[in-house]
Amino acid sequence: MKNIINISLLISILVSCSGGNDEADAWGNFESREIMISSENNGKILSMPVNEGDVLNKNKLIAIVDTTLIKLQLSELEAGHSSILTRLASVDAQNRIIDQQIINLKANIERVENMLRDQAATQKQLDDLRGQLEVLEKQKRRQ
């Protein structure tokens, strides 16, 4: 961008000065401001004991970077990871409970079916147990 501005400035000066007379076609002041934009993505540089052009030896300290933000982000990620592991353990425990409840309900359904054949139970009792089984199976699929 800076080169484009410089080239267009040079062209405008040459064009305005090509009239052949010694009078100026335009006058004014040009001001520029240099802005340094740096990224603190990997941490802010706290000190840099080397200069441009220095010869660097192996294992020489080049810069000291503030890693506080990175450390905080790492701690946040570790806490999130721990939370996920806890949630997974909880889901596994709930699934084991649901599995056992399904086993128990299937045994009760079999008992009530036998009792229904002997007319010792009602159809409603069997329907209630089958409904409970469907609810548990849906809960397990949702987990």
Side-chain angles (χ1 to χ4, degrees), residues 9-27:
L9 178 62
L10 180 61
I11 291 172
S12 64
I13 290 172
L14 290 175
V15 169
S16 65
C17 294
S18 66
N21 59 15
D22 290 335
E23 293 183 27
D25 292 335
W27 58 89

Side-chain angles (χ1 to χ4, degrees), residues 39-94:
S39 171
E40 290 189 15
N41 199 20
N42 292 327
K44 187 175 184 178
I45 295 176
L46 299 175
S47 79
M48 193 164 173
V50 295
N51 296 313
E52 186 175 334
D54 285 355
V55 176
L56 299 177
N57 296 321
K58 185 177 181 180
N59 297 325
K60 181 178 180 183
L61 179 67
I62 297 172
I64 297 175
V65 179
D66 181 7
T67 58
T68 304
L69 181 61
I70 295 170
K71 178 64 177 158
L72 291 173
Q73 289 172 340
L74 180 62
S75 296
E76 183 180 0
L77 289 172
E78 288 171 344
H81 182 257
S82 176
S83 172
I84 289 170
L85 291 178
T86 301
R87 174 74 176 128
L88 283 175
S90 173
V91 168
D92 285 344
Q94 289 174 356

Side-chain angles (χ1 to χ4, degrees), residues 35 50 56-57 68 74 102 113 117 119 128 138-139:
I35 298 174
V50 295
L56 299 177
N57 296 321
T68 304
L74 180 62
I102 288 173
E113 285 173 342
R117 273 189 237 111
Q119 296 180 349
D128 288 345
K138 286 179 181 178
Q139 283 180 344

Side-chain angles (χ1 to χ4, degrees), residues 94-96 98-99 102 134-143:
Q94 289 174 356
N95 279 339
R96 286 193 300 275
I98 290 173
D99 286 341
I102 288 173
E134 284 181 39
V135 168
L136 286 175
E137 287 173 343
K138 286 179 181 178
Q139 283 180 344
K140 185 175 178 180
R141 282 191 299 264
R142 193 186 81 208
Q143 297 281 340

Side-chain angles (χ1 to χ4, degrees), residues 108-121 126:
N108 283 337
I109 288 171
E110 189 176 328
R111 282 190 199 108
V112 171
E113 285 173 342
N114 290 336
M115 291 172 63
L116 188 61
R117 273 189 237 111
D118 296 335
Q119 296 180 349
L126 182 61

